[in-house]
Amino acid sequence: MTMTRAHTSRRTDDKRRDSERSRRRSSVRTRVGGAALVLWALLSALACSYVFAVWLPTDAARYRDYEASEVCPAHTAARRLEDCRREVTFTVADTVIQGGGRNVRYEATLTGAPYWNRTVSFGDTEPVLERLRPGDQVTATVWRGGIMTVSTQGLRQSTSDEPRDEPQAAAAIGTALGVFAVMALVFGAVQLTRPRDHEPFSLGGYGKPLLITMAVACVAVAAASFLLGIPWWIVPALVVPVVAARAWVLHRNRQASRPTETAHRPERF
């Protein structure tokens, strides 16, 4: 009888030690994940800063310069880099139209000019690219060493290099990076400091609904502001409060459900 009790006691002690080791390993994994989230937060914050401090201002300045540029005087010699717009005749060497799958390519290789010969990309096949054949002559608008537009038969199509007044897309990317940086920093800090009690600061808790809310809000606000001609700053001005409100609702609902969970939890004796 005594041996049986001793054996049972050893088994209980072994289970407790195994359980403690398991909790420690789980805590280590959680802390490693938290450290990774903090690192991702720093990288996302840097990327967000680049979007708003470099990308957006550079694109805006380039678009203003392009809109303000004039046609190059006819009597001046062509140079590789010019701030004026010049109409140049090219010969189509080849075209690539590949619209299926992941590798989407809409390209035309232009040659025959003193400079600027290159392969240019388009966002679609219409209205010019689909008509081009090797050997065709086209007229292209060149600015600052790049081919901005290609025209033939009275039709004109912009290339991917032409400056556009579309800052809302970049603002949506920067906003998403900034929101993710804050989320990752908070989640990572909680997982580092409270590895055994970090819920709901995880993907399965607040993470997934907040990411979905952020993605939907960024796309919806950016698209609406572009179509309505609203300035780009409306994107972060609306998205950030929407995500914050969603986080508050999630937290409030979790707090409200705690008494119910406690009431239904079986008592231990």
Side-chain angles (χ1 to χ4, degrees):
M1 186 69 175
T2 304
M3 294 180 61
T4 302
R5 290 180 178 176
H7 181 67
T8 302
S9 178
R10 283 196 298 270
R11 289 180 59 185
T12 302
D13 292 340
D14 291 340
K15 288 181 179 179
R16 289 176 180 174
R17 284 193 293 268
D18 291 341
S19 178
E20 183 63 25
R21 293 193 193 100
S22 178
R23 286 195 294 268
R24 288 177 181 175
R25 286 194 294 267
S26 178
S27 297
V28 170
R29 288 194 297 268
T30 301
R31 284 197 172 99
V32 170
L37 283 174
V38 171
L39 178 60
W40 275 110
L42 295 176
L43 294 176
S44 297
L46 290 175
C48 175
S49 300
Y50 172 82
V51 170
F52 288 108
V54 179
W55 182 359
L56 275 170
T58 300
D59 279 2
R62 188 167 181 263
Y63 176 76
R64 289 193 300 268
D65 292 345
Y66 181 65
E67 288 295 298
S69 64
E70 299 179 352
V71 177
C72 297
H75 62 277
T76 59
R79 295 177 297 172
R80 187 179 298 275
L81 296 176
E82 298 176 308
D83 283 331
C84 55
R85 306 187 196 191
R86 187 178 294 276
E87 300 294 315
V88 181
T89 299
F90 288 90
T91 299
V92 178
D94 188 26
T95 61
V96 177
I97 297 178
Q98 182 177 323
R102 297 181 179 179
N103 299 321
V104 177
R105 295 173 61 194
Y106 301 130
E107 300 174 348
T109 301
L110 307 179
T111 61
Y115 312 109
W116 320 295
N117 299 317
R118 66 184 60 190
T119 297
V120 294
S121 299
F122 300 88
D124 202 347
T125 62
E126 299 178 353
V128 171
L129 180 61
E130 64 182 3
R131 300 172 180 266
L132 299 182
R133 300 293 182 270
D136 289 350
Q137 298 289 309
V138 297
T139 301
T141 302
V142 177
W143 179 70
R144 290 186 178 177
I147 298 174
M148 304 292 104
T149 66
V150 175
S151 59
T152 185
Q153 303 175 18
L155 301 173
R156 179 184 295 266
Q157 184 172 355
S158 298
T159 69
S160 299
D161 291 333
E162 185 182 37
R164 291 169 172 80
D165 186 23
E166 301 174 355
Q168 293 85 355
I173 295 174
T175 302
L177 288 169
V179 172
F180 177 78
V182 174
M183 287 177 53
L185 182 61
V186 173
F187 284 27
V190 172
Q191 292 182 19
L192 280 172
T193 56
R194 291 160 39 192
R196 296 186 181 182
D197 187 28
H198 65 277
E199 293 292 344
F201 296 93
S202 64
L203 182 62
Y206 294 160
K208 187 175 180 179
L210 288 180
L211 289 174
I212 292 174
T213 301
M214 176 191 71
V216 172
C218 283
V219 172
V221 176
S225 60
F226 172 73
L227 293 175
L228 298 175
I230 301 174
W232 64 264
W233 51 261
I234 199 68
V235 179
L238 289 181
V239 171
V240 172
V242 166
V243 177
R246 177 61 170 157
W248 179 79
V249 170
L250 289 172
H251 181 68
R252 185 191 64 178
N253 291 344
R254 181 177 178 82
Q255 293 297 107
S257 65
R258 279 189 173 182
T260 303
E261 293 176 357
T262 303
H264 288 84
R265 187 178 301 165
E267 297 182 1
R268 294 183 180 180
F269 297 95

